[in-house]
Amino acid sequence: KQEVTQIPAALSVPEGENLVLNCSFTDSAIYNLQWFRQDPGKGLTSLLLIQSSQREQTSGRLNASLDKSSGRSTLYIAASQPGDSATYLCAVRGEYGNKLVFGAGTILRVKS
Amino acid sequence: DGGITQSPKYLFRKEGQNVTLSCEQNLNHDAMYWYRQDPGQGLRLIYYSQIVNDFQKGDIAEGYSVSREKKESFPLTVTSAQKNPTAFYLCASSINSRGYTFGSGTRLTVV
């Protein structure tokens, strides 16, 4: 059974810092991995989608990497801003079937 | 604009009552999903449907029921058999190799 772990559970940084959020998964037979952002009381917003054949994806100040063989992904946020404060969720989709399995998330607070 | 619409945003349920959460999408996605989110926990899959008139149980299906009569709609009923229904419910859809798209959620509270 696939299990997804996100470290750290919470992170507080001053504005302007570069930071890394970590995601690990136990079964490397994945189809893709998706990073989401969730603001309090809101739905999930997709940030980046990495297919299993890809190593990384970039969008603006965000960069996500994938090491499928070791079961790891990282989300890099450059020059963090207070508006980046949210919960970041990592989710993997298995090779067989459409189901996404989620980590518990990392709560990020960027202080101004 | 294409997207997923969940309604209502807030819902209150009395003990012993069944309630239905609506999820509609205009993305032409084949697959639709219902997830439950509790504080401090990741999302857990309740039910999913890959095509019309077909659906499968997820990890926590007990006390819930769904239907998929139309491609665009995937309503979730929280029955009286669900003993702890207070949570945030999220609907999602997907197609082929693309990622998931989520709705804005329904917060259900037992009163």
Side-chain angles (χ1 to χ4, degrees):
Chain A
K1 180 182 176 183
Q2 178 74 273
E3 294 182 359
V4 179
T5 303
Q6 292 187 245
I7 295 173
L11 183 62
S12 181
V13 300
E15 182 177 5
E17 269 203 11
N18 302 325
L19 56 99
V20 175
L21 307 182
N22 296 292
C23 172
S24 62
F25 45 94
T26 55
D27 186 349
S28 61
I30 66 168
Y31 188 77
N32 58 37
L33 182 146
Q34 199 166 357
W35 282 93
F36 294 91
R37 169 187 172 135
Q38 185 177 32
D39 293 294
K42 305 294 184 182
L44 275 63
T45 300
S46 180
L47 298 174
L48 290 164
L49 172 68
I50 310 177
Q51 302 296 341
S52 61
S53 59
Q54 297 175 320
R55 297 285 293 182
E56 65 178 340
Q57 282 286 332
T58 298
S59 176
R61 294 183 295 106
L62 305 179
N63 176 277
S65 67
L66 174 63
D67 185 340
K68 182 180 171 182
S69 60
S70 67
R72 295 179 183 178
S73 176
T74 61
L75 178 66
Y76 176 83
I77 303 177
S80 58
Q81 303 170 358
D84 294 331
S85 298
T87 298
Y88 290 81
L89 294 160
C90 167
V92 298
R93 177 181 162 186
E95 283 185 348
Y96 307 103
N98 287 326
K99 295 186 290 181
L100 274 186
V101 178
F102 281 84
T106 294
I107 302 171
L108 173 65
R109 180 187 172 207
V110 181
K111 298 172 289 185
S112 58
Chain B
D1 289 338
I4 298 180
T5 301
Q6 289 188 241
S7 62
K9 187 172 183 179
Y10 299 97
L11 187 58
F12 299 91
R13 192 195 94 166
K14 296 180 180 179
E15 294 286 346
Q17 191 179 45
N18 293 353
V19 292
T20 298
L21 285 60
S22 171
C23 178
E24 304 277 334
Q25 55 103 355
N26 61 2
L27 299 166
N28 200 32
H29 285 178
D30 294 308
M32 297 187 74
Y33 314 82
W34 275 105
Y35 283 87
R36 170 179 171 141
Q37 186 177 36
D38 295 282
Q41 297 189 35
L43 278 68
R44 293 181 291 168
L45 182 64
I46 304 172
Y47 267 98
Y48 64 103
S49 167
Q50 301 200 47
I51 56 172
V52 175
N53 293 321
D54 186 47
F55 49 83
Q56 289 80 39
K57 294 181 179 180
D59 300 319
I60 55 166
E62 184 175 354
Y64 300 97
S65 66
V66 294
S67 63
R68 185 86 186 277
E69 298 176 0
K70 299 186 301 181
K71 187 175 186 178
E72 301 79 18
S73 178
F74 192 40
L76 173 73
T77 296
V78 184
T79 74
S80 57
Q82 172 49 243
K83 298 306 178 187
N84 184 24
T86 295
F88 190 50
Y89 291 86
L90 288 157
C91 178
S93 68
S94 72
I95 184 169
N96 298 331
S97 64
R98 299 178 190 171
Y100 277 39
T101 300
F102 277 81
S104 57
T106 293
R107 186 164 301 280
L108 173 62
T109 304
V110 174
V111 296

